[in-house]
Amino acid sequence: MTFRLAAPAAAMLAAALATAAPAPAQDLHFPSLSYRTGPFGAGGIPFADGYSDYLTLMNERDGGIGGVPIRQTECETAYNTEKGVECYEAIKGDSPLILQPLSTGITYQLIPRVTADGIPLHTMGYGRTSAKNGAVFSHIFNYPANYWDGASIAIKHLLDINGGDLSGKKIALVYHNSAYGKEPIRTLEELSEKHGYALSLLPVDSPGQEQKSQWLQIRRDKPDYVLMWGWGVMNPVAIQEAANIRFPMENFIGVWWSGSENDVLPAGAGAHGYKSLAMHGTGMDYPVYADMKQYVIDAGKAAGAGDQVGSVLYSRGMYAAMLAVEAARKAQEIHGTAEITPAMMRDGMEALEITEERMAEIGLPNFGPAFAVSCENHGGPGRGLVQQWDATAKQWNLITDWIESDLEVIDALVAEDSAAYAAEAGITPGCN
Amino acid sequence: MPEQFYFALEVSLNGLMAGIMYALVALGFVLIFKASGIFNYAQGVLALFAALTLVGLQNGQIPFAHLINAVFGTSLHHFGWTLPAVVAIALTAVVMTGLAILIERYILKHLVNQEPIILFMATIGLAYFLEGLGDVMWGAEIKNLDVGLPQGISETIDEVTFNWFGYGFFIDRLDIVATLVAAALVISLMLFSQFTKYGRALRAVADDHQAALSVGISLRFIWVMVWSIAGIVALVAGIMWGSKSGVQFSLSLIALKALPVLMLGGFTSIPGAIVGGLIIGMGEKLFEFFIGPMIGGATENWFAYVLALIFLVFRPQGLFGERIIERV
């Protein structure tokens, strides 16, 4: 009797389980956690437009990725951590292949969630730096470079222009008083011990519209160089204040989040000579834009008004989408199916290899660094460029070749911080 | 004298100048609160909206172009002409007056005799609506604001102070202009309220709504007038702040700098807004200078509120606010 009841029950259970198993994807879901409104919208819009336009190009020109169309959805976070988490909760059940929140605050909140839910998170040049260690952060990727790479690249550039010697120099860090702005401090402190410069720290409260105190202090202390970790309105105000006190602009270097047109244009001619780090090329001198124009912009399918195309943050959004698409291709290749799941996408990201040949095929030659991702290294090569603003031509010019970060210092810090996180979160580090 | 002393003096002067910039925002709050008892949460957004409109008009931008293009498939952006700054400022003042009429007609008129909290909540709604309207109308990208205001160090002050003290003081020329504009604004507002018919009507409404109504003063007209003036004050604040950082949506957050000024100076006093701004500006800068380095810096935002709270303990109505005595 018991057996006779148990058999159909088991059959029903098996049928139910089969029904509950994820259905094959009919499309590839690429959500965008964007911010087009609020105080940081001016930076969020071009990034979101670049991200969306590249994915639209894939659909319009190639019919998607591997023949499967891309489905784009967008959720407005307003650069607000709580809203970002709400967006995540709303879309996590819809097989999002990859998340890119463009916010360090949101990233920190999502790290445990995406890890538990098996959804990959890509924080390109932002987020938790030690996520570079894939043995601890299995679902978090921050290639091609992170904040600590940025700090080191800035110092290496200063070493280059000072004949390799920074001893006795004074360097001030003007930073957004938040988790984001504080990220480079430890690295800069370590590097100051190594290279013998004196570091002073000048925090600016968000949003950063009033910075008179900080710049009066800089005027008094006369540092040789000022580094900036800013975002939003903090950047143009800082550049204007630097121009006001006649700080030599060529000695003022921002991280890549302080190096868009939005940051320098308000200061007009005063911003001439300002430098910033870059993790990719910019401008429209890349073959991909011919297709972008034909299939997306002229076809009226662009996400924005089209006036941001080729700008720094548009290029960054496009680069982020390009890396996501390449990871999806890799996932399709290694799993032998075009209809990939978030878990497969994670595998694709971990096996991603970007070569200069592939970049040229895509239409972005010399746009970004060549690199390969592995379980041990989710952060890529940690290379960056330095660009300088020409206020007359209103354009950024790259003034260096790729600069490698000081991995001897960075990797030790990554190992230390990721080990602390692993202990705190109860994670046993390891690569399969 | 030691250089440290001169630096403290320089910080104080710059603090006073920063305080004037805060007071420019606070003035708009005071005008509306004084006339109608409404704490206008939307004052910061009014400054943003005014600055967006000014830049849009100056550059000949077609309002709602993105929306029109999305609906009709057109590619409109600009009219093809630009306007001189003075004309654009005058036209923006007209737009702000029109906005005041619409606010009175579609919001305030329907809320007469409601509790102050209801009116406050209406202004919260107004703030979000205006922010969205500004976005749809003019776009969310950062815009350059150039109405010909000077910026950068004042060479004269630098030279003179260097000759006197051996230490050249930094004073931003934009801050000097802001100080002159604020002084002109306060004098104009005080002359208007003391010596004109409408100014006296405004004061009557501020003193007692019911009594003013009983002698035939139109409350609706006064509200339109005061919101128009607040809109024009917001335009001035938007120009000054927008010249520093470009016109972007974070401009609406300047209201946060005005709140401690209001708490300190009183919600109903125009001179209070100025004096409050000066105290807050200088206090926060000196605190950052002396104490900031000991506690990690970035003290200005919170210290302004602490300073205002300390004043509130001793004078709840603020330095120049009217003392409220309610008999039971």
Side-chain angles (χ1 to χ4, degrees):
Chain A
M1 178 70 178
T2 308
F3 175 74
R4 274 188 302 177
L5 279 175
M12 284 171 69
L13 181 62
L17 284 174
T19 312
Q26 299 303 306
D27 51 36
L28 303 174
H29 182 199
F30 282 78
S32 172
L33 302 186
S34 60
Y35 41 97
R36 296 178 178 276
T37 62
F40 299 94
I45 290 169
F47 184 93
D49 286 351
Y51 193 78
S52 174
D53 285 355
Y54 189 82
L55 296 177
T56 303
L57 174 65
M58 294 299 104
N59 268 349
E60 296 301 314
R61 190 189 62 189
D62 305 341
I65 307 169
V68 183
I70 292 167
R71 176 166 55 97
Q72 296 189 50
T73 57
E74 199 161 328
C75 187
E76 171 69 33
T77 70
Y79 196 64
N80 177 298
T81 300
E82 288 77 22
K83 282 189 187 172
V85 174
E86 280 173 24
C87 280
Y88 172 73
E89 293 297 333
I91 60 169
K92 73 177 185 185
D94 195 14
S95 294
L97 289 183
I98 183 171
L99 296 170
Q100 309 209 32
L102 195 61
S103 155
T104 295
I106 296 173
T107 298
Y108 268 73
Q109 289 301 313
L110 292 189
I111 285 172
R113 288 175 167 84
V114 296
T115 307
D117 297 332
I119 298 168
L121 183 70
H122 186 200
T123 62
M124 193 175 80
Y126 62 92
R128 183 164 188 146
T129 303
S130 61
K132 181 179 184 181
N133 184 357
V136 173
F137 296 91
S138 58
H139 286 73
I140 322 300
F141 298 82
N142 54 8
Y143 50 77
N146 58 53
Y147 292 134
W148 296 350
D149 293 323
S152 171
I153 291 163
I155 295 299
K156 275 204 162 183
H157 174 62
L158 296 182
L159 282 164
D160 285 346
I161 59 178
N162 282 282
D165 182 16
L166 284 177
S167 55
K169 298 284 183 194
K170 290 195 282 187
I171 298 176
L173 172 70
V174 177
Y175 65 96
H176 196 264
N177 193 27
S178 62
Y180 152 63
K182 290 173 184 171
E183 278 276 340
I185 293 175
R186 178 80 195 279
T187 309
L188 290 173
E189 284 172 346
E190 292 281 330
L191 291 171
S192 75
E193 286 177 20
K194 184 172 177 177
H195 298 295
Y197 61 81
L199 178 69
S200 59
L201 303 174
L202 296 166
V204 174
D205 259 340
S206 184
Q209 267 162 330
E210 174 57 39
Q211 300 177 30
K212 198 71 83 188
S213 298
Q214 290 77 10
W215 287 94
L216 282 176
Q217 203 168 321
I218 286 171
R219 184 170 179 264
R220 183 187 62 162
D221 295 346
K222 297 183 178 60
D224 298 289
Y225 299 98
V226 174
L227 304 181
M228 174 162 68
W229 246 249
W231 183 229
V233 71
M234 178 184 156
N235 293 333
V237 171
I239 293 168
Q240 180 65 59
E241 292 288 2
N244 287 349
I245 66 162
R246 293 200 203 120
F247 187 82
M249 278 297 165
E250 64 278 12
N251 294 348
F252 187 14
I253 306 174
V255 68
W256 36 64
W257 300 113
S258 302
S260 75
E261 293 81 356
N262 289 340
D263 304 324
V264 284
L265 284 171
H272 186 76
Y274 169 74
K275 291 176 182 173
S276 91
L277 306 181
M279 63 173 97
H280 52 75
T282 193
M284 294 188 67
D285 296 333
Y286 294 97
V288 72
Y289 280 111
D291 284 352
M292 189 72 92
K293 194 168 177 330
Q294 181 187 344
Y295 291 98
V296 182
I297 298 163
D298 289 352
K301 292 184 168 143
D307 53 348
Q308 299 282 321
V309 178
S311 68
V312 169
L313 291 172
Y314 182 94
S315 303
R316 192 159 305 156
M318 188 178 71
Y319 186 37
M322 186 276 282
L323 292 175
V325 167
E326 292 307 301
R329 285 191 212 286
K330 178 59 81 175
Q332 289 173 335
E333 180 193 320
I334 57 182
H335 285 283
T337 173
E339 295 180 345
I340 54 172
T341 63
M344 295 174 185
M345 180 71 174
R346 192 213 76 87
D347 296 343
M349 292 172 78
E350 198 159 80
L352 180 65
E353 187 175 358
I354 297 289
T355 61
E356 182 48 37
E357 291 73 32
R358 180 60 191 149
M359 291 293 283
E361 277 172 31
I362 290 166
L364 289 167
N366 300 311
F367 183 84
F371 64 93
V373 186
S374 65
C375 170
E376 293 78 11
N377 182 2
H378 279 194
R383 290 191 199 120
L385 303 154
V386 178
Q387 59 182 6
Q388 189 165 31
W389 179 246
D390 180 343
T392 313
K394 291 187 177 172
Q395 67 176 33
W396 290 102
N397 297 316
L398 293 172
I399 58 168
T400 67
D401 203 348
W402 291 102
I403 300 173
E404 276 196 29
S405 62
D406 188 340
L407 292 178
E408 187 190 2
V409 172
I410 307 292
D411 284 349
L413 291 173
V414 166
E416 183 188 323
D417 193 70
S418 57
Y421 178 81
E424 178 191 316
I427 294 170
T428 306
C431 289
N432 296 324
Chain B
M1 291 215 188
E3 190 173 283
Q4 188 78 344
F5 171 78
Y6 291 126
F7 185 62
L9 202 59
E10 183 187 31
V11 167
S12 304
L13 280 173
N14 276 277
L16 291 172
M17 297 286 188
I20 292 288
M21 296 286 278
Y22 304 158
L24 276 176
V25 188
L27 274 177
F29 282 97
V30 168
L31 284 167
I32 290 176
F33 190 84
K34 198 172 162 66
S36 56
I38 300 173
F39 178 79
N40 180 23
Y41 183 85
Q43 190 62 33
V45 183
L46 277 180
L48 166 68
F49 187 81
L52 283 171
T53 305
L54 171 62
V55 179
L57 290 173
Q58 210 179 349
N59 295 339
Q61 197 183 335
I62 298 171
F64 301 108
H66 289 195
L67 189 63
I68 294 167
N69 293 341
V71 173
F72 299 106
T74 51
S75 55
L76 303 170
H77 292 294
H78 289 82
F79 289 114
W81 40 256
T82 54
L83 287 178
V86 178
V87 177
I89 290 170
L91 283 176
T92 308
V94 172
V95 170
M96 296 311 286
T97 306
L99 185 66
I101 293 169
L102 293 174
I103 290 170
E104 192 283 328
R105 183 166 296 171
Y106 293 107
I107 301 175
L108 300 178
K109 190 177 95 172
H110 305 285
L111 297 175
V112 173
N113 285 333
Q114 294 295 320
E115 293 292 320
I117 188 68
I118 303 291
L119 291 159
F120 171 63
M121 288 165 70
T123 66
I124 293 178
L126 177 65
Y128 284 104
F129 172 75
L130 279 181
E131 199 165 312
L133 181 68
D135 188 346
V136 175
M137 210 167 158
W138 302 112
E141 67 277 9
I142 294 179
K143 296 166 178 66
N144 287 348
L145 176 61
D146 183 9
V147 293
L149 294 179
Q151 285 208 61
I153 187 169
S154 164
E155 310 272 1
T156 315
I157 293 174
D158 187 29
E159 275 176 32
V160 168
T161 49
F162 186 80
N163 290 335
W164 285 355
F165 311 121
Y167 182 94
F169 281 23
F170 171 84
I171 302 288
D172 190 346
R173 288 182 293 166
L174 182 68
D175 287 344
I176 297 172
V177 173
T179 305
L180 296 174
V181 168
L185 209 56
V186 169
I187 291 168
S188 307
L189 287 171
M190 292 181 82
L191 290 176
F192 173 77
S193 67
Q194 294 293 332
F195 299 109
T196 67
K197 177 182 158 190
Y198 295 119
R200 282 194 290 273
L202 176 66
R203 283 163 53 211
V205 170
D207 282 345
D208 190 328
H209 285 190
Q210 297 296 333
L213 279 171
S214 70
V215 295
I217 294 171
S218 164
L219 194 58
R220 289 184 60 187
F221 174 75
I222 294 296
W223 277 8
V224 167
M225 186 177 72
V226 82
W227 275 79
S228 302
I229 297 171
I232 292 164
V233 170
L235 170 62
V236 174
I239 290 172
M240 295 302 165
W241 283 92
S243 297
K244 281 164 77 101
S245 60
V247 178
Q248 49 185 306
F249 278 71
S250 56
L251 201 60
S252 62
L253 299 178
I254 57 173
L256 295 175
K257 299 300 286 189
L259 284 182
V261 172
L262 292 165
M263 289 159 71
L264 201 149
F267 280 77
T268 54
S269 167
I270 290 170
I274 298 293
V275 175
L278 294 175
I279 294 173
I280 291 287
M282 191 168 75
E284 67 176 23
K285 294 286 180 290
L286 282 176
F287 187 83
E288 175 70 20
F289 170 61
F290 284 115
I291 311 294
M294 297 177 210
I295 54 175
T299 61
E300 286 160 287
N301 276 4
W302 61 262
F303 179 73
Y305 284 88
V306 171
L307 192 61
L309 284 171
I310 292 168
F311 270 82
L312 275 186
V313 170
F314 298 102
R315 275 189 73 84
Q317 69 275 33
L319 280 178
F320 293 83
E322 290 159 15
R323 194 167 186 187
I324 300 162
I325 301 169
E326 290 191 10
R327 294 187 173 83
V328 288

